[in-house]
Amino acid sequence: MNAFFLLTLLCVAPQPLREAGGVAVSAAGEVQQRTSTKRPAAQTRTVVGVITALSAEKNTLTLQPDNRTSSIAVTIPADAAFTRKNEIAKLTDFMIKDHVSARLSIRPDKPTEGVLKTLKDAATAAETRKTATAIYTGTVVTSSLTNLDAKSADGKTTRFRVSEKTIFIKNGKPAKPSDFLAEAPVAVIARSSPSGSLLASHIADTAAAAEQTKNDSQSTWTGQVTEKKDGKLTLKRDDGAVRIVQIADGSSALFDKLTPGRTVHLHLLKGEADKDGHRTTDKFTNAR
């Protein structure tokens, strides 16, 4: 092979690329912009609609949203959760024409495809939302470290998830799940979790106790000052609870103006209560 032919091959051969600030640059100095192949992250959405197709064998269904947007082809993974009539269910408990609420993982670039997280009949989903915005009252069915099942006056059973953060109160004192026996009255404050289940934050033996316990953690208390002495206030809150509050260091001069009988908003400092269970206030405003 002669020298002229070798030189010709070197001139026409593809040149290697090098990186310069995230941009591909050829040996000849030509800039070649790379195209990103990263897929957009999936987002979780709740879609309410009607099942128009369902295959338990293929683990798929088609959902027509109530807002009349395009139907969604749904893939059902093994860890999907199902609820029907407030009871744990399975895919085969649902059928075509069912009105449902589905939590779906959907990529923005593929809005007509989704992966199922949870599926509930629409009536159960609506009841879950209602329960998450009010104090639930009923009687205990079962109580454990992970769940509390309770029955309402209309005979419906609702399951609440319990975590290490759930606060239990009975007879005005801290309690534990085993203190709530079957058929005993129970009141629950819960919120809807990302999975669609109800997560209990406060469980008590009465609705008043549940509300008071929840309010104990708030940053503002409203009520009437009934006593003031030794750097402390006694406040009868609007929810009926009576609490003793420590006046913060440096705030004494402000609170000298506060006399018993006044109704106020107390601002409470963040942090743990003192050894006697008293929270600390640093300022107040007149409530009415």
Side-chain angles (χ1 to χ4, degrees):
M1 186 178 295
N2 61 43
F4 178 77
F5 183 66
L6 285 172
L7 181 61
T8 301
L9 285 177
L10 289 172
C11 290
V12 299
Q15 298 298 307
L17 299 178
R18 60 185 174 86
E19 294 288 337
V23 177
V25 182
S26 70
E30 297 169 326
V31 176
Q32 298 181 16
Q33 190 69 41
R34 289 192 182 276
T35 302
S36 174
T37 58
K38 186 178 180 180
R39 298 187 304 180
Q43 301 172 348
T44 300
R45 290 172 45 199
T46 298
V47 179
V48 179
V50 175
I51 297 175
T52 58
L54 187 151
S55 173
E57 293 77 18
K58 297 180 180 179
N59 284 316
T60 60
L61 63 83
T62 302
L63 186 63
Q64 176 59 58
D66 285 351
N67 61 7
R68 300 182 183 277
T69 54
S70 299
S71 60
I72 302 173
V74 179
T75 301
I76 303 169
D79 60 352
F82 303 90
T83 306
R84 189 176 180 88
K85 295 182 179 180
N86 281 311
E87 300 289 343
I88 296 173
K90 52 187 181 296
L91 177 59
T92 51
D93 293 323
F94 291 83
M95 59 190 68
I96 293 172
K97 295 186 179 180
D98 275 350
H99 193 215
V100 297
S101 176
R103 291 274 291 175
L104 302 174
S105 178
I106 299 177
R107 281 174 42 191
D109 60 330
K110 293 188 175 182
T112 60
E113 298 177 12
V115 177
L116 185 69
K117 290 178 174 288
T118 64
L119 185 70
K120 296 182 178 184
D121 62 282
T124 295
E127 188 169 330
T128 298
R129 290 192 296 271
K130 180 180 178 182
T131 303
T133 58
I135 299 177
Y136 173 96
T137 56
T139 55
V140 176
V141 177
T142 60
S143 179
S144 71
L145 294 173
T146 56
N147 296 294
L148 180 133
D149 291 347
K151 183 181 293 185
S152 58
D154 60 6
K156 292 182 179 179
T157 299
T158 300
R159 168 162 290 184
F160 298 92
R161 283 179 52 207
V162 173
S163 74
E164 68 279 0
K165 295 182 179 180
T166 302
I167 297 173
F168 289 83
I169 296 291
K170 189 172 183 179
N171 297 325
K173 298 179 180 179
K176 52 187 182 295
S178 58
D179 293 326
F180 288 80
L181 304 178
E183 299 186 7
V186 68
V188 185
I189 295 177
R191 61 179 176 81
S192 183
S193 70
S195 66
S197 60
L198 287 167
L199 179 60
S201 59
H202 299 79
I203 296 175
D205 48 356
T206 67
E211 181 182 16
Q212 291 171 1
T213 304
K214 177 184 177 183
N215 291 342
D216 282 344
S217 62
Q218 302 299 311
S219 61
T220 302
W221 288 350
T222 300
Q224 185 182 52
V225 177
T226 60
E227 187 177 31
K228 184 181 73 168
K229 69 176 184 179
D230 300 331
K232 295 182 176 66
L233 302 174
T234 301
L235 185 76
K236 183 177 181 180
R237 287 196 321 225
D238 285 353
D239 63 7
V242 177
R243 298 289 185 263
I244 295 175
V245 187
Q246 178 75 44
I247 298 174
D249 294 337
S251 298
S252 298
L254 172 64
F255 280 90
D256 284 343
K257 305 173 185 177
L258 180 58
T259 56
R262 296 217 354 227
T263 301
V264 296
H265 300 297
L266 289 184
H267 177 264
L268 299 157
L269 298 179
K270 292 181 178 180
E272 297 292 330
D274 66 17
K275 61 182 179 61
D276 296 315
H278 302 153
R279 293 190 64 187
T280 301
T281 180
D282 62 344
K283 57 186 175 182
F284 72 91
T285 58
N286 291 325
R288 48 185 178 271

